[in-house]
Structure formats: structure tokens, C-alpha cells
Amino acid sequence: MTDTAPSTATRRYGTRPTMKDVAARAGVGLKTVSRVVNGEPGVTPDTERRVQEAITALGFRRNDSARILRKGRTASIGLVLEDLADPFYGPLSRAVEEIARAHGALLINGSSAEDPEREQELVLALCARRVDGLVIIPAGHDHRYLAPEMAAGVATVFVDRPAGRVDADAVLSDSFGGSRDAIAHLIAHGHRRIGFVGDLPGIHTATERLRGYHAAMSDAGLPVHDAWVSLGPTDPERVRAAATAMLNAAEPVTALFAGNNRVTVTVVRVLAERPEPAAPVALVGFDDFELADLLSPGITVIAQDSAQLGRTAADLLFRRLDGAGGDPQRVVLPTRLIPRGSGELPPPATSTP
Amino acid sequence: MTDTAPSTATRRYGTRPTMKDVAARAGVGLKTVSRVVNGEPGVTPDTERRVQEAITALGFRRNDSARILRKGRTASIGLVLEDLADPFYGPLSRAVEEIARAHGALLINGSSAEDPEREQELVLALCARRVDGLVIIPAGHDHRYLAPEMAAGVATVFVDRPAGRVDADAVLSDSFGGSRDAIAHLIAHGHRRIGFVGDLPGIHTATERLRGYHAAMSDAGLPVHDAWVSLGPTDPERVRAAATAMLNAAEPVTALFAGNNRVTVTVVRVLAERPEPAAPVALVGFDDFELADLLSPGITVIAQDSAQLGRTAADLLFRRLDGAGGDPQRVVLPTRLIPRGSGELPPPATSTP
DNA sequence: CCCGGCGCTGACAACGTTGTCCAGGGGCTA
DNA sequence: TAGCCCCTGGACAACGTTGTCAGCGCCGGG
């Protein structure tokens, strides 16, 4: 029984045809196949046709591993973020991908789960793959492990949080200014006792936002009680406990500021579950989120454009890859206060003596 | 001036040290370095120490491109989805990543933007990288282009929608059953004129959900007007127009079924913007989404576990990579109706004669 | 004392591609 | 018609790693 079946039957499972096979089948030299595959000039139309036929007949596809090894550039960039499932990072990674695609690069990504060790492990794995560049939302505070890589030419841009102990490009949101605006907004609406529920104190944005809180309070000449500030993990239990404690204290807070969108969502739930006669509590959240306008009241937020963050970072990365020199930059993107109702609620009458 | 500066100065920018360099510096053979790097046995502690020192001194990192070329396996899998920024895919890709990580594999991903050509381009680029396997949320309907790749041993699992014109594993949600349940739920609450706003008719889930709609209507002996069904892109303008038309018709629908979470969100907005005296319209959406319970009324949804979808697909993929044979499987995961209020609103009195 | 075997090490080829370089043939010009 | 140049095609090395295999020295047993 003669085997006239299509390509797939002519080679054993798991083995792919190479340019050599294509060359043999087309009756040409190896390099000619390479030229055809890469669209290089210098091949007769007739020869090219023969090669193309051999390629489709064998189901050949260029092995990029070999190509990368030879050329030194991988046409891929790595993205390390905290959690792919967090809605804040969706638009960001999509924006990075879009820019990468425009530059013909693939995106390899991974989540650090806010674990510095895992971040390092991931970053080094990406470096071993010889990605051309890295976009990192850092979890740790010491990125000296990156120094040899950066020195070897791996372009690196940090996003949302700056690098630790290493000099690198960074694209950030104005956490300090945004928070100060938020608190000033609440103060302008009559609040004096304002609670802050934020992320882990080790995270740069968390401390910046806290700094903004303190700045606005002190600008207004208002005292800050320790009990009004809570930093910690953003899991619902912790946030719920922190917010509840502030609301049920002897001198309860009349407004809350939530340090990121995870916190905001949980605080919204806590407020929604309060028994009816309770006085409404004002709320401003850092980060916009979908449907914030449809809740009642709408949630006032400090919006940062996460897609813009990603775009800016990726643009900078590719500029570096294209050879742009100069000292590491720090780009800070402005935030925008979007009033929707929850931040404009006045404090209860009794609390403004 | 003698160069005693650290490693980075000893090699010119952009060139990385190789095992050969390490071997030379440690005064050992190439293969010994390889052994140390890979933790293979048969190296004297003393030799190992010398090699380790050379590695850190030079800032050596193994070049995985070469390793991959040599070994044939890349320890990476590709994920192609529709849009990284869509909240439905966040948990899914996170789940896939988690499983990949457990198997020591990296995740390379890309968005097809619902464009079949872009999907193919991406998939083939991933194949050229020789990913070990692929998880695909297909945009197109003809995946014959994958046949040579699959024959060559690239494990492939389709998620959320089945493959077209090619026999492959698929992990799906029960779109048909979920929709039928949703419509039956609305019918049970007294509705007779129910609108369906869905995704593009080319998308498998969209037609399945429409089929469920028709099945439930016909089970209840209810007629379906053409004007009650609208399939199309899920951009807000189209959805807004479709929903508004159904609500303002001479015989308006009293309930709406939204074919996915993008649609649901827009419909919620449309309903929220209706002038006050309008009768409340019931709504059930396919896909759960964050905060659905906090809107008033809460939005009744057909929940599908997108993380579970991803986990199941990735598990299946790695089973295939571990050599599991057998015919392509189709796994269908159940959906769950979560009543929250919007689906239990009765029709206005006048419409139940 | 000699031999077999074992533990450690290194030389070498191969993975599949691309860059360099050279050869041959055909057409054009003097 | 002869010589030169350009156009096409191919041989070969190199990218950095790992698998194979062979060699060397040392130890224990006969």
C-alpha cells in the first residue's frame, strides 16, 4: 500500500519538518528556503513557487527557537503583574499587548500574587527566555537581582510602583495628589473624622496614598486618630473588619477613603449592609470601576487610567529598545476626581457642632 | 588601568556570558557547567563551588532559547482569548496560568479581538515558538489551519466555544441550558413578551443561548416576535439601540435577557436611565459580574464559573501533554441561576390580561 | 602487584536557523 | 565575439545548550 496521504503521515508524530526537508523536497538549497520563508529578495518566482508548495505539502513552520538563538532578539516582552484576574490590570495588560503587537512582539506574562519571591522567579525565567524587555508591576522592594539583566540589555520599565534599590524607568499614577484631592473633597463637604482603609503598608502606592491623606488632613488643620487608619491585605475579611471598627467606634468616622478598587468594593458592601436608620457615610475610592455610577449613591472615585499607564510604559519600553538612551525616567500620570454622590454626602448634623 | 570592575564591565553591552565563559573562568569543562546549572549529579562539591562563583561573578543566566532548541520542549503554553481586558477572561486566564505554573510552564498570551484572522496569526506565531500546548477561545469557525500543528504534537484545547471543522478537545459552559433556565424563570414570573439581546450570531455561545431562548418560549407555548431578538456586536451603542427599540415598541417587551456580561451592563444602564413613571422591566443576564448584587434591584444572572472553565481546560491540556490519548473530549460545565431581584419583577398589570 | 570498576570530567556532535561568502550562468556592452 | 557584471543559488559556520561517550585516576579485591 503506497503512502500518498498528506504531509502529516509522511513524518512520525512529534517530529516536525525542517527547512532541510523542505529544501530536499523542493530540490533547492537550504538558504533558498530561508529566503522564501523570510520574504528576502533574490529568488526566481518559479523557485519560490516550488518552495511554497513543499512548505504546504510538509506542513512546515519555521522554528522560532532556532531563529531566536541565531538572531539574538526574541521579539517578545514580558509582563509581570500582581493578578491577572484583578480588573485594574485587565486594561493595563491589554494596552501593553496592543503596543507590543504594533511592534511585532509577543507578550509573555505572569502573576506574582504580590509575592516578591515569585516575582523574582518569574522575572528571571523571562530573562532566561531572553525577552527583549520587561514591564513589571513590582511586588518586592529590592530589584538588585535585575542589575545584571539590565546591564546585559534587557529594557525594563516599572509600572504603578517604582523599582527598589535599582535605577529604572517607572510610570506611576499620582497617588499622593489623588488621595490629597479625595480627602480635601470630603473635608470640603464638611467631614472632620475621615477613615483611611488601604493596602499593605509595604506597597508604594499604599504609603503614597496614606501620605496624601495625612497631607490633606494637616492642610486643613485636622487631627488624625490612629484608629482612623488601617493598612493591610485587601481581602474582604480584613477590610470589612477595619471599616466596621471605624464606623462603630465611640467617635465614629463620618466618611471613608478606600485605598484601591478592591477595598472600595468591600466598603460599599459594608455600607450597604448597615441597618436602615444609620446615618449615611460618605465614601471616596481610589481607582474607578465599572458600575460605580450605577450604585446608589454613585461612588465618587479618584480615577486613574490603567490603560494609559500600560500604554505609556510600553511606549517607553519600545523607545528604549529602539535605542533611546538617557537616564531612567519617572513619569507620573495625573488622576481625576469623579464626583458621583457618595463623596458629596454631608456628615450627620450632630457631628458638626 | 586594569579592569577589576564587576562582571558587567567585563563584557560589552548587549552580550551575555555563556557557559563557555563560565567554564573558562572556573577552569572546568563546558559540560560540567551544564551539570551544575541543571543540578545534575556527579560534580564534586569543590568544583561546584568554583562554578557557582564564576556564575555569579559573570552574571550568567542560561539561555533558554538554546536549551529549547536542543531539548525540543519549551515548557510554555499559549493562551489566545478574545480580550484580556474583559472581566470574564481575567479569572479564566489566571486559572490557566496557575495550572501552567504548577507544571513549571510559562504562559504566552494574546488577544484575538474577536477577529478570526488575528486569531490565526497569533496561534501560528505561538506554534512557531513551539509552545507545548494551546488553550484557545476561538474567534473563527474554521480551524483546519491547526491540523498540521496538532498532528505534529501541539496539544490544543478550546474553551468557551468549540473548534470549527477540526476535531479537538473543548470545554464549554452549558449555554443552551442556562438560557433556557433564564427564560423559564422569567416566564414563571408572569412574563410573556421577552426580549433577547445577544452577541454576534457567528459566535457559538450566542446561537446556543438564542436556541435556549427559543426552546423555553416554545416549551411554554409562547410566540416569539422577530422584533424581540437582536444579535450583534456588544458595543454599547448597538446594545442600547436594540434594547430601547424593544422597550418602546407598540407592544413592548416586559423582560429582557442579556446574552453576556457586556450586554447586561449596558442594559442595566438603559433601564436606569428610563424616566421615573415607566414600569420596571425584568432582567436576567448571562454571566455573573462583580457588584451585580449591590445594584437595586440586584441583577439576576446565569452564573458560569470562568475560573473553573480555565482550570478544566488547562488540566485537560496537561493531561494530553503527559501522554493521555483517546478521542477529543467535549466537557460541558453546568450553569447556575442566581436570583437577585431583577429577574423576579412581575410584568406590569396591564400586560397580563 | 595487577586488574576491574566506579566516580568524575571533558571533547564533540547535534538541535534548526541565519549571515557570509563564493560559484556559475546569462545578458549586456564594447 | 569577448569580457564583465549582476542575479540566483548553495555550502558552511555559528548561535548556546544538552546528550553521548570516552578517558583518567583511584580504590578494593584477588
Side-chain angles (χ1 to χ4, degrees):
Chain A
M1 181 168 113
T2 340
D3 188 354
T4 54
S7 59
T8 53
T10 66
R11 305 196 59 84
R12 72 178 185 286
Y13 184 85
T15 304
R16 307 209 47 150
T18 73
M19 284 193 179
K20 207 163 140 192
D21 300 318
V22 175
R25 170 145 187 159
V28 301
L30 192 52
K31 183 64 218 221
T32 301
V33 177
S34 172
R35 274 193 267 262
V36 171
V37 169
N38 294 297
E40 286 171 25
V43 180
T44 319
D46 182 61
T47 309
E48 171 162 3
R49 191 185 43 73
R50 282 215 319 284
V51 172
Q52 285 293 5
E53 279 173 11
I55 288 178
T56 36
L58 295 174
F60 167 79
R61 183 148 339 271
R62 181 177 63 198
N63 184 330
D64 272 354
S65 296
R67 169 172 233 251
I68 287 167
L69 175 60
R70 186 64 231 261
K71 303 202 76 151
R73 278 265 161 139
T74 59
S76 54
I77 66 172
L79 171 64
V80 177
L81 34 70
E82 190 250 318
D83 182 0
L84 260 176
D86 186 326
F88 177 70
Y89 297 113
L92 193 155
S93 57
R94 176 63 192 274
V96 172
E97 185 201 350
E98 216 53 58
I99 305 271
R101 181 178 139 84
H103 286 81
L106 276 180
L107 184 65
I108 308 183
N109 60 15
S111 306
S112 67
E114 208 67 88
D115 172 356
E117 256 184 71
R118 192 159 155 184
E119 171 204 306
Q120 175 170 351
E121 184 188 306
L122 248 169
V123 166
L124 292 183
L126 292 169
C127 288
R129 290 290 171 112
R130 294 293 188 270
V131 291
D132 296 335
L134 283 168
V135 176
I136 303 179
I137 295 163
H141 299 93
D142 186 349
H143 297 95
R144 279 175 297 179
Y145 68 86
L146 260 172
E149 315 298 331
M150 293 173 65
V154 181
T156 308
V157 177
F158 286 76
V159 188
D160 192 45
R161 312 164 187 173
R165 315 193 68 170
V166 97
D167 219 21
D169 290 317
V171 178
L172 313 172
S173 271
D174 184 12
S175 284
F176 172 77
S179 293
R180 198 183 43 194
D181 293 351
I183 303 301
H185 185 75
L186 288 169
I187 293 172
H189 282 81
H191 294 274
R192 298 292 173 265
R193 300 196 304 273
I194 303 173
F196 178 97
V197 184
D199 211 333
L200 289 163
I203 298 175
H204 178 259
T205 50
T207 55
E208 278 298 286
R209 289 169 199 179
L210 180 58
R211 210 163 60 78
Y213 166 87
H214 280 296
M217 293 296 271
S218 115
D219 282 355
L222 295 174
V224 173
H225 272 237
D226 283 353
W228 298 349
V229 171
S230 169
L231 298 182
T234 58
D235 60 285
E237 293 70 30
R238 203 279 303 181
V239 171
R240 191 172 279 275
T244 306
M246 292 181 196
L247 292 169
N248 294 342
E251 279 216 306
V253 299
T254 66
L256 282 169
F257 177 59
N260 70 29
N261 62 355
R262 301 293 80 204
V263 174
T264 308
V265 168
T266 303
V267 169
V268 168
R269 284 182 199 286
V270 170
L271 295 182
E273 289 162 10
R274 302 195 86 202
E276 204 40 72
V281 173
L283 170 66
V284 177
F286 209 108
D287 291 348
D288 199 1
F289 56 96
E290 188 163 39
L291 301 182
D293 57 325
L294 284 183
L295 299 174
S296 40
I299 307 299
T300 297
V301 298
I302 304 296
Q304 51 176 335
D305 188 341
S306 74
Q308 185 60 37
L309 223 45
R311 250 190 313 271
T312 309
D315 272 336
L316 181 52
L317 183 72
F318 281 102
R319 279 208 304 283
R320 293 292 189 195
L321 286 178
D322 288 347
D327 286 341
Q329 295 182 17
R330 175 170 295 204
V331 182
V332 177
L333 300 180
T335 58
R336 196 162 49 93
L337 189 148
I338 305 180
R340 294 204 176 107
S342 75
E344 293 74 47
L345 293 170
T350 57
S351 84
T352 38
Chain B
M1 178 169 112
T2 340
D3 187 357
T4 53
S7 58
T8 54
T10 65
R11 306 196 58 84
R12 72 178 184 286
Y13 183 86
T15 302
R16 308 208 48 149
T18 72
M19 283 193 178
K20 206 165 142 189
D21 300 318
V22 175
R25 170 144 187 160
V28 301
L30 191 51
K31 182 65 218 220
T32 301
V33 177
S34 172
R35 274 192 267 263
V36 170
V37 169
N38 294 296
E40 286 170 26
V43 181
T44 318
D46 181 60
T47 310
E48 172 162 3
R49 191 186 42 71
R50 284 215 319 284
V51 172
Q52 285 292 7
E53 278 174 14
I55 287 178
T56 35
L58 295 174
F60 166 80
R61 184 151 335 272
R62 182 178 63 199
N63 184 330
D64 272 353
S65 296
R67 169 173 233 252
I68 287 166
L69 175 61
R70 188 62 234 260
K71 305 202 74 152
R73 278 264 160 139
T74 58
S76 53
I77 67 172
L79 171 63
V80 177
L81 35 69
E82 190 250 315
D83 181 0
L84 261 175
D86 185 326
F88 177 70
Y89 296 114
L92 194 155
S93 57
R94 176 63 192 275
V96 172
E97 186 201 350
E98 216 52 59
I99 305 273
R101 181 176 140 84
H103 287 81
L106 277 181
L107 185 65
I108 309 183
N109 59 17
S111 306
S112 67
E114 209 65 88
D115 173 354
E117 257 184 69
R118 190 158 156 186
E119 172 204 305
Q120 176 170 351
E121 185 188 306
L122 250 170
V123 166
L124 292 183
L126 293 170
C127 288
R129 292 291 172 112
R130 295 291 188 270
V131 291
D132 297 335
L134 283 168
V135 176
I136 304 179
I137 293 163
H141 299 92
D142 186 349
H143 298 94
R144 280 175 296 178
Y145 68 85
L146 261 171
E149 314 299 332
M150 292 172 66
V154 181
T156 309
V157 178
F158 287 77
V159 189
D160 194 41
R161 312 165 187 171
R165 315 192 68 171
V166 98
D167 218 22
D169 290 317
V171 178
L172 313 172
S173 272
D174 184 11
S175 284
F176 171 77
S179 294
R180 200 184 40 192
D181 293 352
I183 303 301
H185 186 74
L186 289 168
I187 292 172
H189 282 81
H191 294 274
R192 298 292 174 264
R193 299 196 302 274
I194 304 172
F196 178 97
V197 184
D199 211 331
L200 289 163
I203 298 174
H204 177 261
T205 49
T207 56
E208 279 297 287
R209 288 169 200 179
L210 180 57
R211 211 161 60 78
Y213 166 85
H214 280 296
M217 292 297 270
S218 115
D219 281 355
L222 294 175
V224 173
H225 273 237
D226 282 353
W228 298 349
V229 172
S230 170
L231 299 183
T234 58
D235 60 286
E237 293 70 29
R238 204 279 303 182
V239 171
R240 192 173 280 275
T244 308
M246 292 181 197
L247 293 169
N248 294 342
E251 279 214 305
V253 299
T254 64
L256 282 168
F257 177 59
N260 72 28
N261 62 354
R262 300 294 82 204
V263 174
T264 308
V265 168
T266 304
V267 169
V268 168
R269 283 184 201 287
V270 170
L271 295 181
E273 289 162 10
R274 303 195 85 202
E276 203 41 68
V281 173
L283 170 66
V284 178
F286 209 109
D287 291 348
D288 199 1
F289 56 95
E290 188 163 41
L291 300 181
D293 57 326
L294 284 183
L295 299 175
S296 39
I299 307 299
T300 298
V301 299
I302 303 296
Q304 52 175 334
D305 188 341
S306 74
Q308 186 59 38
L309 222 46
R311 250 190 312 272
T312 309
D315 272 335
L316 181 52
L317 183 73
F318 281 101
R319 277 208 306 283
R320 294 291 189 196
L321 287 178
D322 288 347
D327 287 341
Q329 295 183 16
R330 175 170 294 203
V331 182
V332 176
L333 300 179
T335 58
R336 196 162 50 94
L337 190 150
I338 305 180
R340 292 203 178 109
S342 75
E344 293 73 47
L345 293 170
T350 57
S351 84
T352 37

